[in-house]
Amino acid sequence: MANHQESDEVDPKLWVWGEDEQTPRLLHTMLRVTDFAESLRFYCDTLGMKVLDRFDVESRRATGMFVGYGNYRQSALLELTQKWDVDRYEHGEAFGHVAIGVADLEDVVRRIEDAGYEIADQPKVLMAGGPKVAFAKDPDGFFVELIQIQRD
């Protein structure tokens, strides 16, 4: 029997993305957050995502969580990461937003406002014949574009 170091062993729990996939696909977008409880209140309690996993990466001195509407193999997720030694982050100007399709835009906007979060741009049609969109800000100031996916 070969003698393997721990780092050479395969942990099946870490191969959740679909090791049998043959084509590339979007897996997740990572956002650095300052308060997990507040981020979970926004993404899960208000927008209806669920937490798939919480994990510590000691080598990076960080804790992460994967949240989303599906699972690792069904849809793209958000990875919320909090560095252990950082109290705040500076936003770069290159990042734009995360987009979420919603069936009832007006209802989601109302829920976000009722939960005390900012709607930076109220629902409106940006291009003739297109869906309504709105922009909210998450607890760390990241823009979340909400797109009406069902026609009125």
Side-chain angles (χ1 to χ4, degrees), residues 72-91:
Y72 292 104
R73 294 178 189 224
Q74 289 176 323
S75 64
L77 304 173
L78 286 179
E79 177 185 352
L80 306 176
T81 298
Q82 187 172 9
K83 300 286 270 177
W84 298 345
D85 305 321
V86 176
D87 293 329
R88 65 188 276 275
Y89 303 99
E90 294 295 326
H91 284 229

PDB file of all heavy atoms in Angstrom, residues 72-91:
ATOM      1  N   TYR A  72     -24.617  22.838  -6.261  1.00  0.00           N
ATOM      2  CA  TYR A  72     -23.345  23.011  -6.955  1.00  0.00           C
ATOM      3  C   TYR A  72     -23.410  22.619  -8.428  1.00  0.00           C
ATOM      4  O   TYR A  72     -22.729  23.189  -9.253  1.00  0.00           O
ATOM      5  CB  TYR A  72     -22.255  22.176  -6.285  1.00  0.00           C
ATOM      6  CG  TYR A  72     -21.883  22.671  -4.909  1.00  0.00           C
ATOM      7  CD1 TYR A  72     -22.314  22.015  -3.765  1.00  0.00           C
ATOM      8  CD2 TYR A  72     -21.089  23.795  -4.752  1.00  0.00           C
ATOM      9  CE1 TYR A  72     -21.953  22.460  -2.503  1.00  0.00           C
ATOM     10  CE2 TYR A  72     -20.726  24.253  -3.496  1.00  0.00           C
ATOM     11  CZ  TYR A  72     -21.162  23.581  -2.380  1.00  0.00           C
ATOM     12  OH  TYR A  72     -20.814  24.032  -1.143  1.00  0.00           O
ATOM     13  N   ARG A  73     -24.211  21.637  -8.759  1.00  0.00           N
ATOM     14  CA  ARG A  73     -24.245  21.132 -10.127  1.00  0.00           C
ATOM     15  C   ARG A  73     -25.365  21.734 -10.969  1.00  0.00           C
ATOM     16  O   ARG A  73     -25.386  21.576 -12.168  1.00  0.00           O
ATOM     17  CB  ARG A  73     -24.360  19.612 -10.109  1.00  0.00           C
ATOM     18  CG  ARG A  73     -23.118  18.987  -9.515  1.00  0.00           C
ATOM     19  CD  ARG A  73     -23.226  17.491  -9.444  1.00  0.00           C
ATOM     20  NE  ARG A  73     -22.108  16.977  -8.669  1.00  0.00           N
ATOM     21  CZ  ARG A  73     -21.404  15.937  -9.005  1.00  0.00           C
ATOM     22  NH1 ARG A  73     -21.688  15.269 -10.099  1.00  0.00           N
ATOM     23  NH2 ARG A  73     -20.411  15.515  -8.261  1.00  0.00           N
ATOM     24  N   GLN A  74     -26.306  22.411 -10.355  1.00  0.00           N
ATOM     25  CA  GLN A  74     -27.464  22.952 -11.082  1.00  0.00           C
ATOM     26  C   GLN A  74     -27.291  24.391 -11.525  1.00  0.00           C
ATOM     27  O   GLN A  74     -27.850  24.790 -12.538  1.00  0.00           O
ATOM     28  CB  GLN A  74     -28.716  22.905 -10.201  1.00  0.00           C
ATOM     29  CG  GLN A  74     -29.263  21.543  -9.962  1.00  0.00           C
ATOM     30  CD  GLN A  74     -30.433  21.624  -8.993  1.00  0.00           C
ATOM     31  OE1 GLN A  74     -30.431  22.406  -8.051  1.00  0.00           O
ATOM     32  NE2 GLN A  74     -31.442  20.807  -9.225  1.00  0.00           N
ATOM     33  N   SER A  75     -26.605  25.200 -10.732  1.00  0.00           N
ATOM     34  CA  SER A  75     -26.612  26.627 -11.024  1.00  0.00           C
ATOM     35  C   SER A  75     -25.358  27.298 -10.488  1.00  0.00           C
ATOM     36  O   SER A  75     -24.644  26.731  -9.663  1.00  0.00           O
ATOM     37  CB  SER A  75     -27.845  27.280 -10.408  1.00  0.00           C
ATOM     38  OG  SER A  75     -27.807  27.176  -9.000  1.00  0.00           O
ATOM     39  N   ALA A  76     -25.130  28.507 -10.946  1.00  0.00           N
ATOM     40  CA  ALA A  76     -24.036  29.308 -10.410  1.00  0.00           C
ATOM     41  C   ALA A  76     -24.416  29.785  -9.005  1.00  0.00           C
ATOM     42  O   ALA A  76     -25.582  30.012  -8.713  1.00  0.00           O
ATOM     43  CB  ALA A  76     -23.753  30.491 -11.327  1.00  0.00           C
ATOM     44  N   LEU A  77     -23.421  29.939  -8.157  1.00  0.00           N
ATOM     45  CA  LEU A  77     -23.635  30.302  -6.761  1.00  0.00           C
ATOM     46  C   LEU A  77     -22.884  31.576  -6.414  1.00  0.00           C
ATOM     47  O   LEU A  77     -22.066  32.051  -7.201  1.00  0.00           O
ATOM     48  CB  LEU A  77     -23.129  29.173  -5.855  1.00  0.00           C
ATOM     49  CG  LEU A  77     -23.705  27.787  -6.100  1.00  0.00           C
ATOM     50  CD1 LEU A  77     -22.977  26.759  -5.257  1.00  0.00           C
ATOM     51  CD2 LEU A  77     -25.189  27.776  -5.799  1.00  0.00           C
ATOM     52  N   LEU A  78     -23.157  32.098  -5.228  1.00  0.00           N
ATOM     53  CA  LEU A  78     -22.338  33.153  -4.647  1.00  0.00           C
ATOM     54  C   LEU A  78     -21.490  32.538  -3.548  1.00  0.00           C
ATOM     55  O   LEU A  78     -21.982  31.740  -2.745  1.00  0.00           O
ATOM     56  CB  LEU A  78     -23.203  34.250  -4.027  1.00  0.00           C
ATOM     57  CG  LEU A  78     -23.914  35.199  -4.966  1.00  0.00           C
ATOM     58  CD1 LEU A  78     -24.748  36.203  -4.161  1.00  0.00           C
ATOM     59  CD2 LEU A  78     -22.925  35.929  -5.851  1.00  0.00           C
ATOM     60  N   GLU A  79     -20.232  32.907  -3.524  1.00  0.00           N
ATOM     61  CA  GLU A  79     -19.353  32.544  -2.419  1.00  0.00           C
ATOM     62  C   GLU A  79     -19.152  33.807  -1.603  1.00  0.00           C
ATOM     63  O   GLU A  79     -18.583  34.790  -2.087  1.00  0.00           O
ATOM     64  CB  GLU A  79     -18.014  32.030  -2.925  1.00  0.00           C
ATOM     65  CG  GLU A  79     -17.037  31.706  -1.815  1.00  0.00           C
ATOM     66  CD  GLU A  79     -15.655  31.319  -2.321  1.00  0.00           C
ATOM     67  OE1 GLU A  79     -15.472  31.156  -3.544  1.00  0.00           O
ATOM     68  OE2 GLU A  79     -14.757  31.189  -1.470  1.00  0.00           O
ATOM     69  N   LEU A  80     -19.649  33.811  -0.382  1.00  0.00           N
ATOM     70  CA  LEU A  80     -19.471  34.936   0.522  1.00  0.00           C
ATOM     71  C   LEU A  80     -18.269  34.611   1.395  1.00  0.00           C
ATOM     72  O   LEU A  80     -18.242  33.569   2.055  1.00  0.00           O
ATOM     73  CB  LEU A  80     -20.720  35.144   1.376  1.00  0.00           C
ATOM     74  CG  LEU A  80     -22.036  35.296   0.611  1.00  0.00           C
ATOM     75  CD1 LEU A  80     -23.200  35.407   1.576  1.00  0.00           C
ATOM     76  CD2 LEU A  80     -21.976  36.479  -0.340  1.00  0.00           C
ATOM     77  N   THR A  81     -17.268  35.481   1.391  1.00  0.00           N
ATOM     78  CA  THR A  81     -16.021  35.213   2.108  1.00  0.00           C
ATOM     79  C   THR A  81     -15.716  36.349   3.064  1.00  0.00           C
ATOM     80  O   THR A  81     -15.805  37.521   2.695  1.00  0.00           O
ATOM     81  CB  THR A  81     -14.846  35.045   1.118  1.00  0.00           C
ATOM     82  OG1 THR A  81     -15.122  33.928   0.276  1.00  0.00           O
ATOM     83  CG2 THR A  81     -13.541  34.805   1.845  1.00  0.00           C
ATOM     84  N   GLN A  82     -15.348  35.970   4.285  1.00  0.00           N
ATOM     85  CA  GLN A  82     -14.960  36.946   5.292  1.00  0.00           C
ATOM     86  C   GLN A  82     -13.550  36.619   5.761  1.00  0.00           C
ATOM     87  O   GLN A  82     -13.291  35.533   6.269  1.00  0.00           O
ATOM     88  CB  GLN A  82     -15.939  36.919   6.465  1.00  0.00           C
ATOM     89  CG  GLN A  82     -15.705  38.014   7.466  1.00  0.00           C
ATOM     90  CD  GLN A  82     -16.803  38.074   8.517  1.00  0.00           C
ATOM     91  OE1 GLN A  82     -17.661  37.220   8.615  1.00  0.00           O
ATOM     92  NE2 GLN A  82     -16.764  39.118   9.325  1.00  0.00           N
ATOM     93  N   LYS A  83     -12.627  37.566   5.544  1.00  0.00           N
ATOM     94  CA  LYS A  83     -11.246  37.399   6.008  1.00  0.00           C
ATOM     95  C   LYS A  83     -11.219  37.584   7.527  1.00  0.00           C
ATOM     96  O   LYS A  83     -11.911  38.449   8.054  1.00  0.00           O
ATOM     97  CB  LYS A  83     -10.318  38.413   5.335  1.00  0.00           C
ATOM     98  CG  LYS A  83     -10.270  38.325   3.821  1.00  0.00           C
ATOM     99  CD  LYS A  83      -9.502  37.144   3.329  1.00  0.00           C
ATOM    100  CE  LYS A  83      -8.054  37.509   3.142  1.00  0.00           C
ATOM    101  NZ  LYS A  83      -7.223  36.415   2.730  1.00  0.00           N
ATOM    102  N   TRP A  84     -10.423  36.787   8.208  1.00  0.00           N
ATOM    103  CA  TRP A  84     -10.395  36.826   9.664  1.00  0.00           C
ATOM    104  C   TRP A  84      -9.775  38.109  10.210  1.00  0.00           C
ATOM    105  O   TRP A  84     -10.120  38.549  11.300  1.00  0.00           O
ATOM    106  CB  TRP A  84      -9.636  35.628  10.212  1.00  0.00           C
ATOM    107  CG  TRP A  84     -10.262  34.305   9.859  1.00  0.00           C
ATOM    108  CD1 TRP A  84     -11.514  34.090   9.374  1.00  0.00           C
ATOM    109  CD2 TRP A  84      -9.650  33.035   9.951  1.00  0.00           C
ATOM    110  NE1 TRP A  84     -11.726  32.752   9.162  1.00  0.00           N
ATOM    111  CE2 TRP A  84     -10.591  32.073   9.509  1.00  0.00           C
ATOM    112  CE3 TRP A  84      -8.401  32.594  10.356  1.00  0.00           C
ATOM    113  CZ2 TRP A  84     -10.321  30.722   9.469  1.00  0.00           C
ATOM    114  CZ3 TRP A  84      -8.124  31.237  10.316  1.00  0.00           C
ATOM    115  CH2 TRP A  84      -9.084  30.312   9.884  1.00  0.00           C
ATOM    116  N   ASP A  85      -8.833  38.685   9.495  1.00  0.00           N
ATOM    117  CA  ASP A  85      -8.079  39.823  10.008  1.00  0.00           C
ATOM    118  C   ASP A  85      -8.451  41.142   9.341  1.00  0.00           C
ATOM    119  O   ASP A  85      -7.692  42.107   9.420  1.00  0.00           O
ATOM    120  CB  ASP A  85      -6.577  39.573   9.806  1.00  0.00           C
ATOM    121  CG  ASP A  85      -6.134  38.257  10.438  1.00  0.00           C
ATOM    122  OD1 ASP A  85      -6.616  37.932  11.536  1.00  0.00           O
ATOM    123  OD2 ASP A  85      -5.311  37.552   9.825  1.00  0.00           O
ATOM    124  N   VAL A  86      -9.610  41.211   8.686  1.00  0.00           N
ATOM    125  CA  VAL A  86     -10.009  42.409   7.950  1.00  0.00           C
ATOM    126  C   VAL A  86     -11.372  42.875   8.450  1.00  0.00           C
ATOM    127  O   VAL A  86     -12.306  42.079   8.569  1.00  0.00           O
ATOM    128  CB  VAL A  86     -10.075  42.114   6.427  1.00  0.00           C
ATOM    129  CG1 VAL A  86     -10.577  43.331   5.668  1.00  0.00           C
ATOM    130  CG2 VAL A  86      -8.719  41.666   5.905  1.00  0.00           C
ATOM    131  N   ASP A  87     -11.476  44.161   8.747  1.00  0.00           N
ATOM    132  CA  ASP A  87     -12.733  44.730   9.235  1.00  0.00           C
ATOM    133  C   ASP A  87     -13.550  45.397   8.138  1.00  0.00           C
ATOM    134  O   ASP A  87     -14.753  45.549   8.262  1.00  0.00           O
ATOM    135  CB  ASP A  87     -12.468  45.763  10.334  1.00  0.00           C
ATOM    136  CG  ASP A  87     -11.912  45.131  11.594  1.00  0.00           C
ATOM    137  OD1 ASP A  87     -12.251  43.964  11.881  1.00  0.00           O
ATOM    138  OD2 ASP A  87     -11.121  45.794  12.282  1.00  0.00           O
ATOM    139  N   ARG A  88     -12.876  45.847   7.061  1.00  0.00           N
ATOM    140  CA  ARG A  88     -13.604  46.482   5.957  1.00  0.00           C
ATOM    141  C   ARG A  88     -12.808  46.315   4.676  1.00  0.00           C
ATOM    142  O   ARG A  88     -11.620  46.039   4.710  1.00  0.00           O
ATOM    143  CB  ARG A  88     -13.899  47.949   6.243  1.00  0.00           C
ATOM    144  CG  ARG A  88     -12.702  48.854   6.350  1.00  0.00           C
ATOM    145  CD  ARG A  88     -13.089  50.259   6.820  1.00  0.00           C
ATOM    146  NE  ARG A  88     -13.530  51.128   5.777  1.00  0.00           N
ATOM    147  CZ  ARG A  88     -12.731  51.850   4.999  1.00  0.00           C
ATOM    148  NH1 ARG A  88     -11.438  51.771   5.137  1.00  0.00           N
ATOM    149  NH2 ARG A  88     -13.222  52.632   4.079  1.00  0.00           N
ATOM    150  N   TYR A  89     -13.495  46.492   3.565  1.00  0.00           N
ATOM    151  CA  TYR A  89     -12.900  46.323   2.248  1.00  0.00           C
ATOM    152  C   TYR A  89     -13.137  47.584   1.427  1.00  0.00           C
ATOM    153  O   TYR A  89     -14.113  48.295   1.641  1.00  0.00           O
ATOM    154  CB  TYR A  89     -13.537  45.144   1.500  1.00  0.00           C
ATOM    155  CG  TYR A  89     -13.458  43.841   2.239  1.00  0.00           C
ATOM    156  CD1 TYR A  89     -14.539  43.358   2.963  1.00  0.00           C
ATOM    157  CD2 TYR A  89     -12.295  43.079   2.217  1.00  0.00           C
ATOM    158  CE1 TYR A  89     -14.471  42.156   3.642  1.00  0.00           C
ATOM    159  CE2 TYR A  89     -12.208  41.881   2.897  1.00  0.00           C
ATOM    160  CZ  TYR A  89     -13.295  41.420   3.604  1.00  0.00           C
ATOM    161  OH  TYR A  89     -13.220  40.235   4.281  1.00  0.00           O
ATOM    162  N   GLU A  90     -12.261  47.831   0.480  1.00  0.00           N
ATOM    163  CA  GLU A  90     -12.447  48.905  -0.483  1.00  0.00           C
ATOM    164  C   GLU A  90     -12.999  48.290  -1.764  1.00  0.00           C
ATOM    165  O   GLU A  90     -12.466  47.292  -2.249  1.00  0.00           O
ATOM    166  CB  GLU A  90     -11.111  49.601  -0.784  1.00  0.00           C
ATOM    167  CG  GLU A  90     -10.524  50.341   0.396  1.00  0.00           C
ATOM    168  CD  GLU A  90     -11.365  51.510   0.865  1.00  0.00           C
ATOM    169  OE1 GLU A  90     -12.011  52.164   0.013  1.00  0.00           O
ATOM    170  OE2 GLU A  90     -11.397  51.754   2.077  1.00  0.00           O
ATOM    171  N   HIS A  91     -14.036  48.883  -2.301  1.00  0.00           N
ATOM    172  CA  HIS A  91     -14.597  48.400  -3.565  1.00  0.00           C
ATOM    173  C   HIS A  91     -13.762  48.932  -4.711  1.00  0.00           C
ATOM    174  O   HIS A  91     -13.448  50.111  -4.757  1.00  0.00           O
ATOM    175  CB  HIS A  91     -16.034  48.899  -3.748  1.00  0.00           C
ATOM    176  CG  HIS A  91     -17.021  48.164  -2.923  1.00  0.00           C
ATOM    177  ND1 HIS A  91     -18.176  47.660  -3.442  1.00  0.00           N
ATOM    178  CD2 HIS A  91     -17.039  47.833  -1.618  1.00  0.00           C
ATOM    179  CE1 HIS A  91     -18.862  47.063  -2.482  1.00  0.00           C
ATOM    180  NE2 HIS A  91     -18.189  47.162  -1.373  1.00  0.00           N
TER     181      HIS A  91
END
